[in-house]
Amino acid sequence: MLYLGGHDYEDALFQLVEWTHNVLLPVYGREVTSTALWCSRWWEHPEAVAQLHGLWLAWAELSNPAQDMTGPAAWHRDFLGPVMATLRDPMGPFAGCKPGNHRPKDVPQMESPFVAADG
């Protein structure tokens, strides 16, 4: 999803927001605390978008009634817990965000090994 652009990204994000706000958070959205964070503007955190997109795709596949009946249990065990723990970790993508107060996350500085040498 992160590699989409323009209308393709907007369409995918719309669907992800719909699922997150109407399925995921009403059922699995626990209270926000200093040790279990959530950002009300989660879609502005690329890591959260990537993690939630993967979670949504897994949910779509594993909750399909035509699939194995143990799919939902596998989704809870293998996907939901790890993704939510990563997102809500105090050092995770929402570090610095408080309820109703989004703070953009600084990207680590990077250098390139391909910088042209002077001379």
Side-chain angles (χ1 to χ4, degrees):
M1 181 168 162
L2 295 179
Y3 298 109
L4 297 175
H7 291 304
D8 291 337
Y9 181 81
E10 290 174 12
D11 290 345
L13 183 60
F14 177 81
Q15 292 177 350
L16 181 59
V17 167
E18 286 291 306
W19 178 79
T20 301
H21 289 195
N22 294 306
V23 176
L24 181 70
L25 292 179
V27 177
Y28 304 103
R30 296 179 182 169
E31 185 175 352
V32 176
T33 69
S34 62
T35 59
L37 307 175
W38 188 263
C39 183
S40 61
R41 300 180 65 85
W42 61 264
W43 58 88
E44 293 188 17
H45 296 272
E47 180 182 352
V49 169
Q51 292 269 359
L52 290 169
H53 184 245
L55 187 62
W56 172 48
L57 292 175
W59 176 83
E61 181 175 323
L62 294 171
S63 66
N64 183 338
Q67 299 295 324
D68 183 6
M69 295 299 287
T70 62
W75 181 79
H76 284 92
R77 181 194 65 219
D78 297 338
F79 299 97
L80 178 66
V83 168
M84 294 303 276
T86 297
L87 291 177
R88 303 201 66 191
D89 186 278
M91 298 302 292
F94 305 141
C97 294
K98 306 269 187 275
N101 188 18
H102 164 73
R103 184 182 72 87
K105 191 171 183 176
D106 294 329
V107 176
Q109 291 185 357
M110 296 173 272
E111 295 183 21
S112 174
F114 305 108
V115 175
D118 292 337

